[in-house]
Amino acid sequence: MATASLPQSSPRSSGVSEVHIVWLTAGLGCDGDTVSVTAAEQPSIEDILLGAIPGIPKVHLHNPVLAMEVGDAFMKHFYEAEKGSYDPFVLVVEGSIPNERIKSEGYWAAQGTDYNTGQPITTCEWIDRLALKAWGVIACGTCAAYGGIHAMAGNPTGCMGLVDYLGKNFRSAGGLPIVNVPGCPVQPDNMMETVLYLLYQAAGLSPIIPLDDQLRPTWLFGKTVHEGCDRAGYYEQGDFAHEYGSPKCLVKIGCWGPVVNCNVTKRGWMRGIGGCPNVGGICIACTMPGFPDKFMPFMDQPPGATLSSAVAVSYGRAMRALRSITNNTANKEPKWRHRGPKLTTGYQPAAY
Ligand code: SF4
Ligand code: SF4
């Protein structure tokens, strides 16, 4: 997989002692990524905020779903970041970015009110005000990364992912491209592990975050769902489920796992438990840039799976038959284990 072109050394290699995370949930979305991240444990939000992890800077989180403050008391953090008082800060964007240029009045999404005009401050304007000042920018969840469900064909908002909005050549104040952590919602530990990586990088304790050509952390999205799936043995033997509730491979009832970059079959969802196909759910490719349009209609067998599963069926039947013979043999103890008066193990005493 190609790797995004990055500068060879971080501009802030000396490290920092405090970092603000300014988290904008006012994209088109459901706040589900923030809710998902509350389940993270590797590390948890609490680990990061309470300083339980050695070496990372002190972190101040400003997220409207999780904050105790409301109204002006909360909004002041966004203005401070804009003024440059929070240096450095990481901007997290959640939800897809609507196109405010396709209409003559109104707005699609906003947060806060402009004191001068009395008008809502659109999500796009917040991104314009903050992105270039941020040390790092994370697109949290598939909607922010690539557009997601709101950006499917026929949508009225013309919405898009953050990279579509800021451009692929965008670089933050820290010299980084946008870091995409897709998932619908984002897998909790994937997001917090990415935050932790960037905190270590800001502290000057880790190299530059490795990203693939879709700007995803390579160690999280370098493998397919299928490669980590508990059911892959059934696939290999051509043994497929034809209805839900079966423990067998789900490809014939709509699983896209063989062609989808996602680690939840290895990582699980919470505390290592879950990971869609592992627990009976087809993979609908929610982490992918082409989601959802390229994977619909959901629950139909993926087109490529017809051929690959046909090959797996013929190969798998033969393998299953052969393995069944070997399995029978392996299930029997060796014949020399008996109570008879003769030793039949084949032991050859040495002559003295
Ligand atoms: S259930 Fe999906 S991911 Fe798992 S083995 Fe079958 S096709 Fe692959
Ligand atoms: S396994 Fe598929 S549906 Fe489940 S989180 Fe990963 S990409 Fe999304």
Side-chain angles (χ1 to χ4, degrees), residues 240-252:
F240 301 113
H242 295 281
E243 58 185 10
Y244 286 97
S246 163
K248 298 178 180 178
C249 168
L250 306 169
V251 76
K252 282 192 172 293

Side-chain angles (χ1 to χ4, degrees), residues 215-280:
L215 304 180
R216 302 169 286 207
T218 51
W219 78 95
L220 297 175
F221 292 93
K223 296 278 188 282
T224 64
V225 173
H226 187 69
E227 285 168 326
C229 182
D230 287 354
R231 297 170 187 243
Y234 287 102
Y235 182 101
E236 192 244 357
Q237 295 192 153
D239 203 359
F240 301 113
H242 295 281
E243 58 185 10
Y244 286 97
S246 163
K248 298 178 180 178
C249 168
L250 306 169
V251 76
K252 282 192 172 293
I253 52 175
C255 184
W256 281 85
V259 294
V260 169
N261 298 88
C262 172
N263 64 350
V264 306
T265 40
K266 278 282 188 200
R267 172 158 245 178
W269 201 266
M270 289 167 64
R271 294 205 164 168
I273 309 290
C276 310
N278 287 353
V279 287

Side-chain angles (χ1 to χ4, degrees), residues 6 15 19 30 94 99-100 149 162 165 191 203 210 213 228 252 273 300 309 311 329-331 333-334 342:
L6 295 172
V19 172
C30 61
E94 180 175 339
N99 188 343
E100 299 287 358
I149 289 174
L162 194 58
Y165 183 77
M191 179 60 190
D213 57 352
K252 282 192 172 293
I273 309 290
D300 278 9
S309 61
V311 172
T329 308
N331 263 315
E333 283 191 54
K342 276 197 176 159

Side-chain angles (χ1 to χ4, degrees), residues 14-177:
S14 55
V16 296
S17 56
E18 293 201 24
V19 172
H20 289 259
I21 299 177
V22 178
W23 192 310
L24 183 65
T25 60
L28 303 183
C30 61
D31 293 350
D33 299 303
T34 291
V35 173
S36 179
V37 165
T38 60
E41 292 194 321
Q42 293 177 330
S44 68
I45 298 175
E46 294 88 341
D47 289 340
I48 298 274
L49 296 184
L50 298 176
I53 300 174
I56 62 169
K58 182 169 176 49
V59 176
H60 308 272
L61 175 65
H62 313 294
N63 173 315
V65 181
L66 303 178
M68 299 293 285
E69 308 130 303
V70 293
D72 287 346
F74 174 76
M75 284 306 302
K76 85 167 186 230
H77 300 297
F78 280 68
Y79 295 116
E80 293 298 330
E82 183 188 359
K83 275 195 300 189
S85 318
Y86 291 169
D87 182 27
F89 73 93
V90 172
L91 175 66
V92 177
V93 177
E94 180 175 339
S96 49
I97 319 305
N99 188 343
E100 299 287 358
R101 301 172 68 191
I102 57 174
K103 55 193 173 25
S104 54
E105 61 177 16
Y107 63 94
W108 296 117
Q111 174 179 287
T113 305
D114 191 307
Y115 291 123
N116 297 321
T117 64
Q119 292 299 309
I121 305 171
T122 64
T123 300
C124 292
E125 188 171 340
W126 275 122
I127 294 169
D128 295 344
R129 291 184 187 188
L130 298 178
L132 281 170
K133 293 180 179 166
W135 176 83
V137 178
I138 303 177
C140 175
T142 298
C143 299
Y146 308 119
I149 289 174
H150 319 91
M152 64 190 297
N155 83 80
T157 65
C159 63
M160 64 200 91
L162 194 58
V163 176
D164 303 317
Y165 183 77
L166 290 174
K168 218 164 182 178
N169 294 326
F170 169 85
R171 292 294 179 270
S172 66
L176 293 171

